[in-house]
Structure formats: structure tokens, C-alpha cells
Amino acid sequence: MFVWRCSASFGPAHPPLRLRGLHPEARYRDEDTGVEWSGATLIGYGLPVPALPDGDCASTLVVLHRTT
């Protein structure tokens, strides 16, 4: 998943990104952090938006692998 911000923002953090097309009973692991999430959590609550570098046009790549 590619996460980006067009311009620097101020105020509250962005709400979690609710993902679609996942299997609710499966588990997914973040390749960089090693954190595992259930599909149901990613669908219902969402994935917390990772910290982005300062400045405009900041971006990051989140790679999730299905583990079960």
C-alpha cells in the first residue's frame, strides 16, 4: 500500500485506513515492523497511518503479507 501526503498537515492525526479485499479470518504481517494484524481488524478498524517524513509530498510504502 502506498501512503502519501500532498502537503504538510496540522492538527489531529489521520484516522486509520480501512482496507478492502482482505480475508477477515486471515493474518497479515507488516514487512517492515513485523507487526501482525487480523484481516477483520484491518477491514473494520483499519491500519494506523505510519509516520511520514516532514514536508510536502511525503510518502511511504507499507507491504503486508498474508501469513495464514
Side-chain angles (χ1 to χ4, degrees):
M1 172 176 53
F2 184 67
V3 181
W4 78 94
R5 177 184 63 226
C6 293
S7 61
S9 60
F10 303 95
H14 191 283
L17 297 172
R18 294 172 67 185
L19 306 181
R20 298 182 194 176
L22 303 178
H23 295 273
E25 67 282 353
R27 307 257 333 145
Y28 296 87
R29 183 177 49 82
D30 183 323
E31 187 177 86
D32 287 340
T33 66
V35 175
E36 281 200 17
W37 303 88
S38 72
T41 298
L42 294 172
I43 294 167
Y45 173 75
L47 179 71
V49 176
L52 297 174
D54 292 334
D56 295 339
C57 300
S59 63
T60 190
L61 182 66
V62 177
V63 179
L64 298 174
H65 289 282
R66 183 175 172 175
T67 60
T68 60

